[in-house]
Every structure is written in C-alpha cells, then in structure tokens.
Amino acid sequence: MRRYHVTTFGCQMNAHDSERIKGLLEELGLGEAPSQEQADVIVLNTCTIREKPDTRFAAHMGNAAKAKRDRPGTVVAVGGCYAEAQRERLFALYPDVDVAFGPGTISHLGDWLGAGGEGVARGSFGTGEERTFAARLPVRRERRFQAWVQVSMGCNSVCSYCIVPAVRGRETSRRPGEVLAEIEQLAAEGVREVTLLGQNVNSYGRDLGSSFAELLRACDAVPGIERIRFTSPHPKDFRQDVIAAMAECAAVCEHAHLPLQSGSSRILKAMRRTYSRERYLRLVAELRAAIPDLALTTDIIAGFPGETDADFRETLEVVEEVGYDGAFTFVYSPRAGTEAAAMPDQVPDKLKRERIERLVEVVQRVAAGRNAGRVGMVEEVLVEGPSRTDSGLLRGRTRRNTTVNFSGDAASGELVSVAIEGATSTTLAGMQLALAVA
Ligand code: 5AD
Ligand code: SF4
C-alpha cells in the first residue's frame, strides 16, 4: 500500500484542511505513514501568515528533496496558503514540488494522484476559479469526539498587515443547511464538541441572508453536541444578536477569542481594523455583562509600522484592563503585497523584540492571575487523553478553553468534574471528582 504523510503549518482552518487532505488520500487507497521519511506521498499544508511558517516550509522542502533523491518516485505535494500566495513562482522556487494546490483547490491533489500523474502535467496547480469548500471532501478526523466545522471561506476585511484576504479570496458562506447536516452527522458519530471555523465567523451568512447568531442557535439545538466553539470573530462584526445567542445557548462555550491586535486607536486605524480602543472595550463590557463567567483570549501584534512606545503602552494597558485569560502574541512580520509592508516607518527588529518580551511578561502575569482565580472551583472538563507533561495524569479542557492536567480515571471523550487545585499562566491542575458528569 502506498503511504502518505501530511504536515500542518498553520491555523485551525489549516488543521481542518489537513484532515480533509488525509480523508481524500485514504479514499484513494493510501494509508498514513508515521513519518515523512516513510511516505510515498509527502504533503506539506503550508501557511504564510508570517515569515516563520515560510521559513519552516523551506526547511521541510530541504528534507523532501532529500527523500526524492533517496527514494525516486516519492511525490511531493504542497498545499495551503503559502502555495496559493506563491502559485506563480512555486515550481521555480522549489523544483522538487510535483503538485500544488491552494486552500480552495484541495481536490486537485486527488485528481492529480488519481490520474497517476498521467495526463495531468507535473508541476500543475489547481486553478483559483474552482475554489470550493474543503468541508465537502472526505475527512480523517484526529479526534473521535471533537471536530472542526468550516462555515465559510475567504475574508472580506482589509487589515493592512494581513496576507489572508489576498490568498483566500472573498468571503463565501456555506449554506446553514449544509453546516447543520454535517453537525448532525458528527453528533451521530459520537462527536460532542464542534469548533465552527471561518476567517471572520461573525460575518457568516451575510451573503445568504442568514446570520451567525441564527447558525449558533441552530447548532445548539442539535442533540448530542454539548460544546460549541467558534473562531475567529472580528470585533467589528460582533453584534448584539451573537452575544444574546452565546448567553442563551447552553452548548455555546463561555469563551470568546477576540483579536485585539493593538490597544492604540491610532495604530488600529492604520491597521484598518475599523474599531477604536474604546469600542473594543465597550464590546468586552457587553460580552461580560451578558455572559458572567466568560473567558477572553486574543491576538496581539507588537511593532506594527509607526508604533511608538506610547502606542505600545496603550496595548499593555488594554491587556491589563481586559484581563485576558490568554493571548497569542506576534512580532509584526511584513508580508509582500500588503499595505503595511510598504509603510515607511517600519519598527527596527531589536525594538520589536523588546516590545514582544514586555508584552509576553504582562500577558503571562495577567493570565496567571485569571487562572489562579479558578482555584477552589469545580470545572466541567472534556477529557482529551494523557497529560503531555506527566503520563500519570489526564488532560482535558474546560468550557472556558483552559487546559487542565488532573488525576482521574476517565476515558477520552468523557465529560468529568474536576476540582481545581492549582494554576499556571496557561494551565490548571486538579483532581477528578468521583462522579462523571455524563
Ligand atoms: N505579522 C504578525 N502577525 C500577524 N497576524 C496576521 N498577520 C500578521 C503579520 N503580518 C496575526 C494577527 C492575527 C493572527 C492570526 O496572526 O494577530 O489575528
Ligand atoms: Fe491559516 Fe492564515 Fe496561515 Fe492560511 S495564512 S494557514 S489562513 S493562519
């Protein structure tokens, strides 16, 4: 049997797409290889949001080229956002690539392999016009009880730092009926937690006369689905109806990932985020008023062009004021072709690094304080498997999306009650209470 290996480089949508690539390859009769070295088909599902994943991809291509020398006949397939962004140059940059495709043209890989490489030219790339939902492809899910569900593709925002709109195209929503049919099927297969995915989930449905709030309510009504998560919402589109749906739907988790990017209204304007610091803080207050136990996480960029020390201090202030439960922090990375990459006042690397260090320190202190506040409480935990740090312990996540390492005897996929006894800036520790919740 021919074997494949898929490497995921990017976000949750990228991870979702990798599961579809695996499903497609298995339908073609391939099995999964434990490592790239043992695979006949090496798939690299790339990301290009910052320079780092681009560099990681280049390193992987070095290994893939070696695999082709050692084992002639090995196929190297490159998909994802970097492939799409570089579609004109990819085969020239990396002559070892056999077939390439973008996030909207994954099925091209199947067509190419299905044709045995015959009749379809080596170095071929799916065309952007045939963009379809990856969600319509077969799937090999990593977890029995958790699933990604794609609700839309593309992004209509124009954030000046971001390459994604150029790569993933205009936003198109999947029909609510199609999304719900998938979720009902997942529930029938034993899935208890779904994460709805879109580049901007809050603008879901506008192209269909539907809305994200309606979708949340419909998902909530599916029996067996006990947890609903979604990512990422854009603060500009987070409306009252979605807040109300979050508050009223029992399965929608008490967590919002609300990308801030900067706490300075001046920088937010240059980023074309279309909200100010004040409006963002108002949204946080509204969310907290409606959902008392809400966890908030965020994305923050340090060192955007023109960011002064005063702007950066405003970001630190907002982190303190909101009191995030966690944050992904990034050094600004210029992306060719974006508006911000051409801005004149780029921040020197040394300063960007200094700022990210200060930012991480504040984020960790704030998050550690938030987690410490959970000690003494009992949390509902969905068990995911053995702890990564101590195989004698179990690991799972709370509804608020915090990882918990705990002593207990539950099976993966079970919901249990855990008494919280300790906390770090990113995890909780505790002990399972005798009775499982369900
Ligand atoms: N540089 C640094 N971080 C970026 N992000 C997006 N584009 C860039 C960039 N050019 C971050 C944003 C976004 C997250 C997914 O990645 O914070 O929310
Ligand atoms: Fe995800 Fe963006 Fe990376 Fe594409 S470029 S994989 S959308 S993070």
Side-chain angles (χ1 to χ4, degrees), residues 7-312:
T7 306
T8 298
F9 286 76
C11 61
Q12 285 147 317
M13 188 69 92
N14 189 248
H16 163 270
D17 293 352
S18 286
E19 292 188 352
R20 298 290 166 172
I21 293 168
K22 291 180 181 187
L24 181 84
L25 294 174
E26 299 207 347
E27 206 177 70
L28 287 171
L30 281 83
E32 187 168 20
S35 71
Q36 261 174 19
E37 287 68 39
Q38 296 169 66
D40 305 292
V41 178
I42 296 175
V43 185
L44 304 175
N45 192 20
T46 62
C47 166
T48 192
I49 191 102
R50 287 170 290 273
E51 196 183 342
K52 215 189 250 169
D54 285 9
T55 314
R56 223 185 115 211
F57 166 65
H60 275 260
M61 270 315 296
N63 295 340
K66 182 174 179 304
K68 286 186 84 153
R69 282 195 303 275
D70 294 349
R71 290 174 286 122
T74 303
V75 171
V76 176
V78 179
C81 292
Y82 176 85
E84 184 69 52
Q86 303 294 333
R87 57 187 297 145
E88 308 295 340
R89 310 195 298 147
L90 187 70
F91 296 106
L93 286 170
Y94 296 103
D96 290 299
V97 178
D98 295 301
V99 53
F101 53 94
T105 50
I106 295 172
S107 59
H108 177 72
L109 172 64
D111 299 341
W112 193 88
L113 285 171
E118 275 172 43
V120 188
R122 186 181 189 85
S124 75
F125 199 117
T127 62
E129 297 76 59
E130 0 166 303
R131 209 168 59 114
T132 53
F133 294 108
R136 293 192 182 145
L137 297 169
V139 65
R140 227 269 337 258
R141 284 190 284 107
E142 295 301 307
R143 292 237 177 84
R144 207 169 20 83
F145 50 91
Q146 287 171 324
W148 309 117
V149 177
Q150 183 183 30
V151 302
S152 62
M153 59 178 167
C155 182
N156 288 352
S157 300
V158 288
C159 304
S160 58
Y161 50 81
C162 190
I163 190 76
V164 171
V167 170
R168 289 198 173 236
R170 300 284 297 169
E171 181 177 301
T172 312
S173 304
R174 271 177 94 194
R175 299 217 152 266
E178 187 182 324
V179 175
L180 281 169
E182 182 177 345
I183 294 176
E184 279 161 9
Q185 175 64 33
L186 290 168
E189 291 168 14
V191 167
R192 311 183 89 172
E193 177 178 301
V194 292
T195 303
L196 309 179
L197 295 179
Q199 253 63 47
N200 174 7
V201 287
N202 274 351
S203 56
Y204 168 84
R206 287 192 193 153
D207 48 342
L208 301 174
S210 175
S211 75
F212 188 59
E214 281 173 48
L215 184 71
L216 277 181
R217 289 181 190 276
C219 295
D220 185 61
V222 177
I225 299 297
E226 284 164 275
R227 290 181 168 193
I228 300 167
R229 304 185 182 282
F230 55 87
T231 199
S232 286
H234 191 308
K236 79 176 163 64
D237 296 309
F238 217 125
R239 307 247 166 98
Q240 276 305 324
D241 60 345
V242 176
I243 299 177
M246 285 181 75
E248 289 160 27
C249 294
V252 177
C253 288
E254 294 74 30
H255 171 222
H257 183 72
L258 205 59
L260 169 70
Q261 312 302 4
S262 168
S264 152
S265 294
R266 198 179 68 81
I267 293 298
L268 286 168
K269 192 155 190 208
M271 288 176 163
R272 296 197 188 277
R273 292 291 286 174
T274 75
Y275 55 83
S276 61
R277 166 185 175 150
E278 291 70 31
R279 202 176 130 210
Y280 182 95
L281 290 173
R282 236 180 0 256
L283 173 61
V284 167
E286 284 166 12
L287 278 161
R288 287 229 162 104
I291 308 146
D293 205 28
L294 185 73
L296 281 170
T297 56
T298 198
D299 293 341
I300 300 171
I301 298 175
F304 183 84
E307 184 186 75
T308 62
D309 199 61
D311 291 316
F312 177 66

